[in-house]
Amino acid sequence: MADLLTHFALGYATSRHRSFADMRAIYYLGIILPDVITRPIYILFPGLYDYTIAMHTPIFLVIFCLFLSEFFQPQSRALVFKYLFAGVLVHLLLDSLQRHFIGGYYWLFPFSWKTYEWGLYWADAPLRWIPLWLVLIAGYELLIRLHHHNHD
């Protein structure tokens, strides 16, 4: 599993276009959602790990995003779902690049119990990149603020 900061850094990098302006927070929630709903369960209750696997699959996450979007005003629900699930897809894309010793992610659950991964890096490898993500995000924000300050 890539850590939440790595997921967020990718979400940050993919959401800088102005079309995200009103939904950036929803998109960021989608970026971390699969881990936020599964990690606490199997950290607190390790015996439930096998059950949380299904919660980290596209079919469950579509249903969960539809459920969450119901908490918004009717005219906003479709847009909230779109950005929330877009964030989830970016999360799953990053996860699909990992490799595991045992198991993995069941992208086609409940239709298949086969795991599909690209295996480009080990699940814990992104933790080494946290300082770089922090520097890049801070540097980018600084450049944007300096650019806006010079043009105002």
Side-chain angles (χ1 to χ4, degrees):
M1 139 193 95
D3 61 281
L4 289 180
L5 184 57
T6 303
H7 282 295
F8 181 79
L10 182 60
Y12 179 86
T14 58
S15 69
R16 301 318 302 161
H17 190 269
R18 67 177 172 264
S19 65
F20 283 83
D22 293 337
M23 289 290 164
R24 192 166 282 122
I26 298 295
Y27 180 71
Y28 290 159
L29 176 60
I31 290 283
I32 63 171
L33 188 65
D35 289 345
V36 167
I37 61 178
T38 58
R39 301 302 181 251
I41 295 170
Y42 76 71
I43 289 171
L44 295 173
F45 308 102
L48 297 177
Y49 175 75
D50 290 340
Y51 297 100
T52 63
I53 291 171
M55 296 170 68
H56 208 287
T57 62
I59 191 83
F60 175 85
L61 292 164
V62 165
I63 294 166
F64 198 80
C65 288
L66 286 168
F67 172 73
L68 284 182
S69 64
E70 286 297 312
F71 288 96
F72 291 83
Q73 294 295 324
Q75 65 273 19
S76 301
R77 289 177 184 157
L79 195 59
V80 166
F81 174 79
K82 174 185 165 185
Y83 280 89
L84 188 62
F85 194 64
V88 165
L89 288 175
V90 170
H91 178 105
L92 296 177
L93 173 67
L94 186 59
D95 282 355
S96 73
L97 301 176
Q98 304 178 99
R99 75 173 83 163
H100 293 87
F101 281 117
I102 299 171
Y105 297 110
Y106 301 93
W107 305 122
L108 300 178
F109 174 85
F111 308 106
S112 171
W113 285 95
K114 184 168 174 28
T115 61
Y116 299 92
E117 297 174 339
W118 290 62
L120 300 179
Y121 61 89
W122 290 105
D124 64 340
L127 294 173
R128 290 181 235 137
W129 294 91
I130 288 176
L132 176 64
W133 301 145
L134 292 172
V135 168
L136 288 176
I137 289 171
Y140 184 76
E141 279 299 315
L142 181 63
L143 288 174
I144 288 174
R145 291 173 195 270
L146 289 172
H147 177 75
H148 287 305
H149 178 72
N150 291 337
H151 287 87
D152 288 339

